[in-house]
Amino acid sequence: MAISIDTFKLRPSDVISSRNAIFADLYKNMITTEFKARDDNPYQQFAGYGDAVISQGGIIIDEQFILSVGWGDGFAIKKIANDGTIAQLFYDYKPMNDYAYYNSIAVDKERSIAYIGNHANDNIAKYDYSDLKAGGSEVVKEVMTEESHNLPSDEIGHSYYNGLALAGDWLYIISDDRESTGQMRWNTQTQVKEEISVINKRNNGRYGNCKYSKRTNRIYSTWHSNGEIWITVDPETDTPITYNLRIESLGLGNDMRGDGIVEDNENPNHIWVVGYHRIAKIDITACITEPVELNVVPTLIGGSTQDLRNIPYWINGYPRINGGHPEYGSDFITIQADRGWAECSGWYDQEHNMPVAVSQRYGDFHFSHDPLTYDYACPPILITTENGTKYWIYTGYAWDGGRFHIYPQDIGYVLETDSELVLGDYTLSDGGNIQFAEIDNLMDYIPSECSIQYYVSNNAGETWESYVNDNQLHRFSSVGNQFRFKIMMSGTPIKCPHIQTYENITVSLFENTEFRPRTRRTSTRLRGGSK
């Protein structure tokens, strides 16, 4: 008896039905589960000024007040009500008295003072919002310069990241214009400026991002153009110490253009960092424990030195990571959009050392729901109202950016825990009975506490049979000529199964009245999704 064989590439456009699922095809195929927070289910939306947040640190929460800087739309102060609605109380479209792209903010919450900077201006705008916080309406602005306040004469930060961080009375400043031989800081009360020498410094700093960790009382400065991360301990004192982490020696590259430092839940000396297109976990104990050896290097303890540019989803951007969920912390490292990459955000699978993130702009794709999409995304920020209700705030730049999306605490910043995807219908070219099927290149990754099941049907879903992903032929017990493939995934709020492969995921269908062991074929037609 002759054998009828047809092979099809599975495509996102072949999806018949789905629930909480993603199928993206951008040179690489990815099938996985959606985030709960989506563009089609926001609890509230708000559009005003200071909403086009381009830097991860571009929003700071002070009680019920939201202080933010936007790319081209200035500085704003808003307040959230108990029902999740937001009111804009103040905005300044031109903090430096001219139109510019604002990316840097630091806030002294005790004094109700905000400091605003951008990458193209040497000045810093200072805002006293104490009257506004007390129930009034006044905000007092002062533009500070090197001449008036002894500021370091330098542009602030980098165009896409936050270049200001506050520790006590000291404002730490990242250089954008010149190479810094040490860590710059300026005292907000005495107007003294200092440049702290860096232990084990290899290169001068230029272009970067800085962040204050309240948990460890550290300032982290990541430099884009020299492959270094500086850590300042005791940053609020008169005797701070700054150390360099020579992460380029670990194979993590020489450009910290990516953004994000995540301290491990159990050991804060174990930190997740973003190297040159890489995500890794390092032990920095030896680098910051006196006496520090000359040229000491951190220890690589997790993640990967794989260049993520080899993964097509990372073509146009650099990683941005965050571990800000109060319940999960470093157990759930999320990935935010950058430069048009990972526009729909994602997360990092620590068990398989790989990102799980997709883009909506490029290639073929299917989402069960309309995802939040950004060119640059700020990580979700948790805020508590006066009556104790908690909400997540999402914002970013471009696409769904330029406005705040507000979600209840149980929706924002977690994954759906189950998903389903059904593809079809595929038929033999002669319309014959489909007796056998085999699916190739189904590379699945299943973290702990997660599961994935496959089902096949030859009668358009009237009956389903379990399919084992072992590169073996599946023999149907039913009769039919319309093939469907179903994927069911279950996980937890912080991890889920995912399928990722550079090869085409294909299904081969057979009509054969006599079972014969399959041999590799060289002349099978790849039917490119024809149905």
Side-chain angles (χ1 to χ4, degrees), residues 20 23 34 48 59-60 63 72 81 87 112 123 155 185 190 213 231 235 282 285 307 343 350 359 392 397 431 476:
N20 304 329
F23 185 1
E34 295 178 321
I59 296 180
I60 293 180
E63 298 179 357
S112 302
N123 305 332
E155 297 166 4
R185 69 174 190 167
T190 65
S213 169
I231 297 181
I282 59 176
T285 303
D307 189 332
E343 294 163 308
Q350 299 179 38
S359 174
W392 289 103
Y397 181 76
F476 284 102

mmCIF file of all heavy atoms in Angstrom, residues 20 23 34 48 59-60 63 72 81 87 112 123 155 185 190 213 231 235 282 285 307 343 350 359 392 397 431 476:
data_model
loop_
_atom_site.group_PDB
_atom_site.id
_atom_site.type_symbol
_atom_site.label_atom_id
_atom_site.label_comp_id
_atom_site.label_asym_id
_atom_site.label_seq_id
_atom_site.Cartn_x
_atom_site.Cartn_y
_atom_site.Cartn_z
ATOM 1 N N ASN A 20 -4.810 32.166 27.459
ATOM 2 C CA ASN A 20 -3.637 32.646 28.204
ATOM 3 C C ASN A 20 -2.316 32.215 27.569
ATOM 4 O O ASN A 20 -1.325 32.015 28.264
ATOM 5 C CB ASN A 20 -3.676 32.140 29.658
ATOM 6 C CG ASN A 20 -4.939 32.520 30.380
ATOM 7 O OD1 ASN A 20 -5.531 33.559 30.097
ATOM 8 N ND2 ASN A 20 -5.368 31.694 31.314
ATOM 9 N N PHE A 23 2.207 32.354 21.106
ATOM 10 C CA PHE A 23 2.972 31.630 20.096
ATOM 11 C C PHE A 23 3.613 32.688 19.205
ATOM 12 O O PHE A 23 2.922 33.411 18.501
ATOM 13 C CB PHE A 23 2.064 30.712 19.279
ATOM 14 C CG PHE A 23 2.788 29.834 18.277
ATOM 15 C CD1 PHE A 23 4.177 29.851 18.147
ATOM 16 C CD2 PHE A 23 2.079 28.982 17.451
ATOM 17 C CE1 PHE A 23 4.839 29.045 17.235
ATOM 18 C CE2 PHE A 23 2.728 28.174 16.520
ATOM 19 C CZ PHE A 23 4.106 28.201 16.413
ATOM 20 N N GLU A 34 0.995 33.644 29.142
ATOM 21 C CA GLU A 34 0.940 35.096 29.272
ATOM 22 C C GLU A 34 1.096 35.563 30.725
ATOM 23 O O GLU A 34 0.899 34.794 31.667
ATOM 24 C CB GLU A 34 -0.409 35.622 28.771
ATOM 25 C CG GLU A 34 -0.674 35.414 27.308
ATOM 26 C CD GLU A 34 -2.057 35.915 26.928
ATOM 27 O OE1 GLU A 34 -3.008 35.724 27.719
ATOM 28 O OE2 GLU A 34 -2.180 36.494 25.851
ATOM 29 N N GLY A 48 -1.291 61.577 31.477
ATOM 30 C CA GLY A 48 -1.023 62.949 31.855
ATOM 31 C C GLY A 48 0.378 63.326 31.450
ATOM 32 O O GLY A 48 0.817 63.015 30.349
ATOM 33 N N ILE A 59 10.185 56.151 38.186
ATOM 34 C CA ILE A 59 9.040 56.368 39.081
ATOM 35 C C ILE A 59 9.485 56.116 40.513
ATOM 36 O O ILE A 59 10.162 55.118 40.793
ATOM 37 C CB ILE A 59 7.871 55.417 38.762
ATOM 38 C CG1 ILE A 59 7.317 55.689 37.375
ATOM 39 C CG2 ILE A 59 6.753 55.566 39.784
ATOM 40 C CD1 ILE A 59 6.165 54.789 37.008
ATOM 41 N N ILE A 60 9.114 57.017 41.416
ATOM 42 C CA ILE A 60 9.375 56.824 42.841
ATOM 43 C C ILE A 60 8.067 57.060 43.603
ATOM 44 O O ILE A 60 7.340 58.028 43.327
ATOM 45 C CB ILE A 60 10.474 57.779 43.336
ATOM 46 C CG1 ILE A 60 11.807 57.397 42.677
ATOM 47 C CG2 ILE A 60 10.604 57.735 44.860
ATOM 48 C CD1 ILE A 60 12.981 58.258 43.077
ATOM 49 N N GLU A 63 4.572 57.403 49.889
ATOM 50 C CA GLU A 63 3.226 57.166 50.426
ATOM 51 C C GLU A 63 2.239 56.984 49.270
ATOM 52 O O GLU A 63 2.426 56.080 48.459
ATOM 53 C CB GLU A 63 2.828 58.296 51.381
ATOM 54 C CG GLU A 63 3.732 58.396 52.604
ATOM 55 C CD GLU A 63 3.374 59.525 53.535
ATOM 56 O OE1 GLU A 63 2.438 60.296 53.220
ATOM 57 O OE2 GLU A 63 4.016 59.654 54.597
ATOM 58 N N GLY A 72 10.394 63.493 27.361
ATOM 59 C CA GLY A 72 9.771 64.548 26.582
ATOM 60 C C GLY A 72 8.509 65.118 27.184
ATOM 61 O O GLY A 72 7.927 66.042 26.618
ATOM 62 N N ALA A 81 -5.973 57.254 44.683
ATOM 63 C CA ALA A 81 -7.084 57.173 45.631
ATOM 64 C C ALA A 81 -7.314 55.719 46.033
ATOM 65 O O ALA A 81 -6.740 54.785 45.461
ATOM 66 C CB ALA A 81 -8.347 57.757 45.001
ATOM 67 N N ALA A 87 -5.028 61.030 40.343
ATOM 68 C CA ALA A 87 -5.209 62.454 40.048
ATOM 69 C C ALA A 87 -3.836 63.091 39.890
ATOM 70 O O ALA A 87 -2.926 62.839 40.692
ATOM 71 C CB ALA A 87 -5.977 63.140 41.170
ATOM 72 N N SER A 112 10.617 65.856 51.527
ATOM 73 C CA SER A 112 9.711 66.061 50.388
ATOM 74 C C SER A 112 10.368 66.911 49.307
ATOM 75 O O SER A 112 9.836 67.921 48.846
ATOM 76 C CB SER A 112 8.393 66.706 50.845
ATOM 77 O OG SER A 112 7.746 65.918 51.824
ATOM 78 N N ASN A 123 22.556 70.798 34.572
ATOM 79 C CA ASN A 123 21.826 71.294 35.730
ATOM 80 C C ASN A 123 20.967 70.202 36.365
ATOM 81 O O ASN A 123 20.712 69.149 35.774
ATOM 82 C CB ASN A 123 20.929 72.459 35.322
ATOM 83 C CG ASN A 123 21.701 73.565 34.638
ATOM 84 O OD1 ASN A 123 22.894 73.740 34.904
ATOM 85 N ND2 ASN A 123 21.046 74.292 33.755
ATOM 86 N N GLU A 155 26.772 66.154 32.554
ATOM 87 C CA GLU A 155 25.432 65.710 32.209
ATOM 88 C C GLU A 155 25.116 64.459 33.019
ATOM 89 O O GLU A 155 26.002 63.745 33.474
ATOM 90 C CB GLU A 155 25.354 65.440 30.707
ATOM 91 C CG GLU A 155 25.594 66.716 29.898
ATOM 92 C CD GLU A 155 25.850 66.459 28.430
ATOM 93 O OE1 GLU A 155 25.764 65.307 28.001
ATOM 94 O OE2 GLU A 155 26.141 67.433 27.725
ATOM 95 N N ARG A 185 29.566 62.321 43.917
ATOM 96 C CA ARG A 185 28.428 62.561 44.792
ATOM 97 C C ARG A 185 28.429 64.025 45.226
ATOM 98 O O ARG A 185 29.468 64.699 45.201
ATOM 99 C CB ARG A 185 28.435 61.620 45.992
ATOM 100 C CG ARG A 185 29.533 61.848 47.017
ATOM 101 C CD ARG A 185 29.319 60.936 48.217
ATOM 102 N NE ARG A 185 30.198 61.265 49.346
ATOM 103 C CZ ARG A 185 30.040 60.794 50.572
ATOM 104 N NH1 ARG A 185 29.036 59.977 50.853
ATOM 105 N NH2 ARG A 185 30.870 61.134 51.551
ATOM 106 N N THR A 190 25.027 70.609 52.343
ATOM 107 C CA THR A 190 26.224 71.456 52.443
ATOM 108 C C THR A 190 26.757 71.897 51.080
ATOM 109 O O THR A 190 27.628 72.761 51.020
ATOM 110 C CB THR A 190 27.340 70.700 53.172
ATOM 111 O OG1 THR A 190 27.745 69.572 52.368
ATOM 112 C CG2 THR A 190 26.874 70.220 54.542
ATOM 113 N N SER A 213 20.105 50.672 47.102
ATOM 114 C CA SER A 213 19.448 49.531 47.722
ATOM 115 C C SER A 213 19.235 49.834 49.205
ATOM 116 O O SER A 213 20.200 49.936 49.977
ATOM 117 C CB SER A 213 20.294 48.262 47.572
ATOM 118 O OG SER A 213 19.775 47.224 48.398
ATOM 119 N N ILE A 231 30.282 49.417 43.429
ATOM 120 C CA ILE A 231 29.419 49.326 44.604
ATOM 121 C C ILE A 231 29.979 50.234 45.687
ATOM 122 O O ILE A 231 31.150 50.098 46.077
ATOM 123 C CB ILE A 231 29.321 47.879 45.127
ATOM 124 C CG1 ILE A 231 28.667 46.973 44.076
ATOM 125 C CG2 ILE A 231 28.528 47.838 46.430
ATOM 126 C CD1 ILE A 231 28.508 45.539 44.544
ATOM 127 N N PRO A 235 27.100 54.554 51.927
ATOM 128 C CA PRO A 235 27.080 55.717 51.028
ATOM 129 C C PRO A 235 26.567 56.996 51.675
ATOM 130 O O PRO A 235 26.833 58.084 51.168
ATOM 131 C CB PRO A 235 26.143 55.273 49.902
ATOM 132 C CG PRO A 235 25.213 54.300 50.555
ATOM 133 C CD PRO A 235 26.068 53.565 51.547
ATOM 134 N N ILE A 282 26.239 36.470 40.306
ATOM 135 C CA ILE A 282 27.627 36.447 40.752
ATOM 136 C C ILE A 282 27.703 36.588 42.269
ATOM 137 O O ILE A 282 26.831 37.167 42.903
ATOM 138 C CB ILE A 282 28.452 37.566 40.087
ATOM 139 C CG1 ILE A 282 27.861 38.953 40.412
ATOM 140 C CG2 ILE A 282 28.520 37.360 38.576
ATOM 141 C CD1 ILE A 282 28.697 40.117 39.865
ATOM 142 N N THR A 285 31.234 38.596 47.360
ATOM 143 C CA THR A 285 31.739 38.665 48.733
ATOM 144 C C THR A 285 33.204 39.072 48.784
ATOM 145 O O THR A 285 33.601 39.980 49.532
ATOM 146 C CB THR A 285 31.549 37.313 49.436
ATOM 147 O OG1 THR A 285 30.171 36.944 49.401
ATOM 148 C CG2 THR A 285 32.002 37.400 50.888
ATOM 149 N N ASP A 307 25.953 34.986 24.889
ATOM 150 C CA ASP A 307 25.612 36.270 24.294
ATOM 151 C C ASP A 307 24.174 36.196 23.787
ATOM 152 O O ASP A 307 23.857 35.431 22.874
ATOM 153 C CB ASP A 307 26.570 36.590 23.149
ATOM 154 C CG ASP A 307 26.414 38.007 22.630
ATOM 155 O OD1 ASP A 307 25.295 38.557 22.734
ATOM 156 O OD2 ASP A 307 27.390 38.561 22.129
ATOM 157 N N GLU A 343 9.266 43.659 23.687
ATOM 158 C CA GLU A 343 8.253 44.694 23.889
ATOM 159 C C GLU A 343 7.125 44.231 24.807
ATOM 160 O O GLU A 343 6.472 45.048 25.443
ATOM 161 C CB GLU A 343 7.658 45.091 22.539
ATOM 162 C CG GLU A 343 8.655 45.771 21.637
ATOM 163 C CD GLU A 343 8.184 45.778 20.208
ATOM 164 O OE1 GLU A 343 7.832 44.703 19.699
ATOM 165 O OE2 GLU A 343 8.155 46.861 19.616
ATOM 166 N N GLN A 350 15.500 30.547 35.645
ATOM 167 C CA GLN A 350 16.753 30.314 36.336
ATOM 168 C C GLN A 350 17.152 28.846 36.332
ATOM 169 O O GLN A 350 18.325 28.518 36.530
ATOM 170 C CB GLN A 350 16.658 30.837 37.772
ATOM 171 C CG GLN A 350 16.386 32.329 37.848
ATOM 172 C CD GLN A 350 16.280 32.837 39.271
ATOM 173 O OE1 GLN A 350 17.006 32.393 40.163
ATOM 174 N NE2 GLN A 350 15.375 33.786 39.506
ATOM 175 N N SER A 359 8.572 39.514 21.371
ATOM 176 C CA SER A 359 8.343 40.820 20.784
ATOM 177 C C SER A 359 7.101 40.754 19.914
ATOM 178 O O SER A 359 6.828 39.745 19.279
ATOM 179 C CB SER A 359 9.543 41.247 19.945
ATOM 180 O OG SER A 359 9.270 42.454 19.273
ATOM 181 N N TRP A 392 -0.705 47.750 41.396
ATOM 182 C CA TRP A 392 0.487 47.800 40.559
ATOM 183 C C TRP A 392 0.316 48.881 39.507
ATOM 184 O O TRP A 392 -0.752 49.013 38.909
ATOM 185 C CB TRP A 392 0.715 46.455 39.856
ATOM 186 C CG TRP A 392 1.158 45.348 40.767
ATOM 187 C CD1 TRP A 392 0.399 44.326 41.256
ATOM 188 C CD2 TRP A 392 2.473 45.146 41.295
ATOM 189 N NE1 TRP A 392 1.143 43.506 42.055
ATOM 190 C CE2 TRP A 392 2.430 43.991 42.090
ATOM 191 C CE3 TRP A 392 3.679 45.833 41.160
ATOM 192 C CZ2 TRP A 392 3.548 43.494 42.752
ATOM 193 C CZ3 TRP A 392 4.796 45.335 41.825
ATOM 194 C CH2 TRP A 392 4.724 44.187 42.609
ATOM 195 N N TYR A 397 7.519 53.638 27.559
ATOM 196 C CA TYR A 397 7.624 54.568 26.448
ATOM 197 C C TYR A 397 7.190 53.877 25.156
ATOM 198 O O TYR A 397 7.594 52.757 24.871
ATOM 199 C CB TYR A 397 9.072 55.057 26.320
ATOM 200 C CG TYR A 397 9.279 56.058 25.207
ATOM 201 C CD1 TYR A 397 8.869 57.373 25.356
ATOM 202 C CD2 TYR A 397 9.870 55.673 24.004
ATOM 203 C CE1 TYR A 397 9.053 58.295 24.335
ATOM 204 C CE2 TYR A 397 10.062 56.593 22.989
ATOM 205 C CZ TYR A 397 9.649 57.904 23.149
ATOM 206 O OH TYR A 397 9.826 58.810 22.149
ATOM 207 N N GLY A 431 -6.599 14.192 0.865
ATOM 208 C CA GLY A 431 -7.803 14.147 1.671
ATOM 209 C C GLY A 431 -8.032 12.839 2.391
ATOM 210 O O GLY A 431 -9.122 12.594 2.929
ATOM 211 N N PHE A 476 -3.186 6.713 15.498
ATOM 212 C CA PHE A 476 -4.533 7.068 15.946
ATOM 213 C C PHE A 476 -5.405 5.827 16.064
ATOM 214 O O PHE A 476 -5.310 4.887 15.259
ATOM 215 C CB PHE A 476 -5.188 8.042 14.960
ATOM 216 C CG PHE A 476 -4.677 9.453 15.073
ATOM 217 C CD1 PHE A 476 -3.755 9.945 14.164
ATOM 218 C CD2 PHE A 476 -5.113 10.278 16.101
ATOM 219 C CE1 PHE A 476 -3.276 11.243 14.269
ATOM 220 C CE2 PHE A 476 -4.639 11.582 16.211
ATOM 221 C CZ PHE A 476 -3.712 12.058 15.292
#
